[in-house]
Amino acid sequence: MLPWIQLDSATIPGEGGELRLKQRGSEFSIMLGANELMNSRLSGSEEALATLSWERIKTHPKPRMLIGGLGMGFTLRAALAVLPDDADVTVAELVPAVVAWARGPMAEVFKGCLDDPRVGIHQGDVGEEIRAGKSAYDAILLDVDNGPDGLTRKSNDRLYDFAGLRAARDALRPGGVLAVWSSGPDPDFTRRLKDSGFAVDVVNSRAGRKRGARHVIWLGVKSTR
């Protein structure tokens, strides 16, 4: 068994905490303390976040998508595989080093997706992009932290409270979808989504293909009226 090697570390802006990038052979892992936030061999639920969102907006012309959290690029790559050539995708990533890792040691994992002409990177808080956009997006995909029950940054909770959900709804075009990834279920969040005016589906998705932990994806659709 090959040992894990730490390649780099980065402080999370705002509230501290340290991300660590590790490699074992062709496998990569991003850690926060003893918690593994993502692994390059487990991409199923992140890909589902993109494909399930696309199913709900595929009739929208020139779709605009906002992805919160670059991670290992699995959601972005899955989105680019289904979106049309005239789509526009903004990826908001808070930690500058994560973007540097994507272009450096993890370039093989990302397979050049950051160079796709449909993609733009916002280096900062996805909440800023949401609040700045009024009816700007057809889909907002949040793969931020551990889901509604934050792990890395307490201020991420603001994305998932009533004010954050209202801002997301305002940033969506009619019929747009807010898709949220989580490491586990959260009935209170489901209720908040419904109470915020979204039509809600809750989907379970495996971390790996037919294996791995079960993650949860919420799909909240804004009314067309």
Side-chain angles (χ1 to χ4, degrees):
M1 178 69 72
L2 291 172
W4 284 102
I5 299 170
Q6 182 167 318
L7 301 180
D8 198 9
S9 64
T11 300
I12 301 171
E15 296 179 21
E18 184 181 70
L19 297 181
R20 292 178 291 125
L21 176 64
K22 300 174 71 175
Q23 182 178 10
R24 180 173 64 184
S26 61
E27 181 181 6
F28 291 89
S29 174
I30 295 180
M31 305 283 294
L32 175 70
N35 296 297
E36 183 176 64
L37 298 182
M38 57 202 80
N39 184 288
S40 60
R41 291 186 176 179
L42 299 172
S43 61
S45 58
E46 287 87 352
E47 292 167 354
L49 184 68
T51 56
L52 290 169
S53 299
W54 169 243
E55 283 297 313
R56 285 151 178 82
I57 64 163
K58 60 185 179 182
T59 61
H60 292 211
K62 296 183 179 180
R64 291 193 68 202
M65 179 178 286
L66 173 62
I67 299 176
L70 177 60
M72 292 188 174
F74 297 126
T75 298
L76 174 60
R77 285 176 54 198
L80 293 174
V82 295
L83 286 167
D85 291 341
D86 60 359
D88 180 271
V89 183
T90 298
V91 181
E93 173 53 53
L94 182 68
V95 184
V98 172
V99 180
W101 296 343
R103 298 189 183 279
M106 287 199 295
E108 180 58 31
V109 175
F110 279 80
K111 299 186 183 302
C113 65
L114 295 185
D115 299 320
D116 190 296
R118 294 171 290 178
V119 176
I121 299 292
H122 169 74
Q123 205 156 278
D125 190 338
V126 67
E128 298 171 357
E129 287 292 287
I130 292 172
R131 291 187 293 272
K134 298 298 181 184
S135 299
Y137 299 104
D138 298 283
I140 298 172
L141 282 56
L142 296 180
D143 184 4
V144 176
D145 208 325
N146 222 31
D149 184 16
L151 176 68
T152 66
R153 193 167 176 256
K154 191 65 177 173
S155 60
N156 284 333
D157 294 347
R158 293 199 297 259
L159 294 170
Y160 307 111
D161 62 18
F162 279 113
L165 294 177
R166 185 165 55 250
R169 188 189 63 212
D170 290 345
L172 287 169
R173 295 168 177 168
V177 61
L178 171 65
V180 176
W181 181 97
S182 176
S183 61
D186 188 333
D188 289 339
F189 182 65
T190 303
R191 284 192 290 271
R192 283 202 302 280
L193 265 178
K194 292 178 178 178
D195 291 344
S196 297
F198 290 97
V200 180
D201 287 327
V202 184
V203 179
N204 291 315
S205 179
R206 290 283 191 184
R209 291 172 175 81
K210 300 182 179 180
R211 66 184 180 90
R214 285 188 180 274
H215 296 152
V216 177
I217 296 170
W218 286 272
L219 298 150
V221 178
K222 180 178 177 176
S223 172
T224 56
R225 292 181 294 178

